[in-house]
Amino acid sequence: MNREEKEEEEEIVCLDASFFMNDNYRLTTFTFGSQVIELLCLHSASTDFDLTGQLVWPGALLLNDYLAKNAEMLKGCSIIELGSGVGVTGILCSKFCPQLLLTDHNDEVLKILKKNIELCASSENPNCCAGKREKQKNTKCGQMFILRHTDIFLLHAELAAEKLEWGNSDHIDQILQRYSRGFDLILGADIYILQSSVPLLFDTVERLLHVRGGQCKFILAYVSRTKTMDSLIMKQAAEHGMRMVEVTGTRSVVGNHEGVIFEVALQ
């Protein structure tokens, strides 16, 4: 081995993937209207850009404030949330509606999401009951529906967490096999960090909207950070045959940026 090869070898640093992860979660209290939620989340970002879901983003606070003020729209609805992160929006919605599926693409984020569902279940909150993991087949028990599957964590009132990569046909097909009637509402907040993910996001939303046609809508809490992303969101919605309507009175400043709620539906 010559001197240059030896020096190059000495410069190689091998780091375990966990080096880039921050799992210093803190129990944090959030208040939305009359609803108080406690959950685990990070207060600072992980060094792994893919783990943005460990934080509660400004858009989630915007969406939750809107939903808390308009809780009537949630009653009796089945809901799927995209990019759920630590679950702050889904757990709020569980106080008002009977069926929620919370999704995220990252396995580490799904772990903390499931912990927060467990935390909700163990609290004194009457809308959350004890849950457990199951590994066999689908079962119905009174009003409680228990999906038994290795990739699903489910609670009373059908509060569930599942992996969903946007644009992944297998993941979407599996969800629609189990929820064949689709969903009344699709929720998303601050879920468009990478430009490359935006077309896949709208591919996924389009498939979910088509199950119910005009009876389903996508509620998006959007925080404007760059003009490029603003244009891309609008362009992708139009290319996927959707109309985006700003909800009157929702435009506000969140996290030093302008945020707004959009209702998105098929044209």
Side-chain angles (χ1 to χ4, degrees), residues 167-198:
N168 186 316
S169 295
D170 290 339
H171 287 183
I172 299 171
D173 288 344
Q174 289 169 12
I175 287 172
L176 293 179
Q177 285 174 9
R178 290 187 282 270
Y179 297 85
S180 59
R181 296 179 62 188
F183 301 89
D184 298 301
L185 293 175
I186 305 165
L187 301 180
D190 258 357
I191 53 173
Y192 37 80
I193 304 302
L194 295 174
Q195 292 183 34
S196 60
S197 70
V198 174

Side-chain angles (χ1 to χ4, degrees), residues 80-94:
I80 182 170
E81 184 184 12
L82 308 180
S84 297
V86 295
V88 66
T89 296
I91 290 172
L92 172 67
C93 291
S94 72

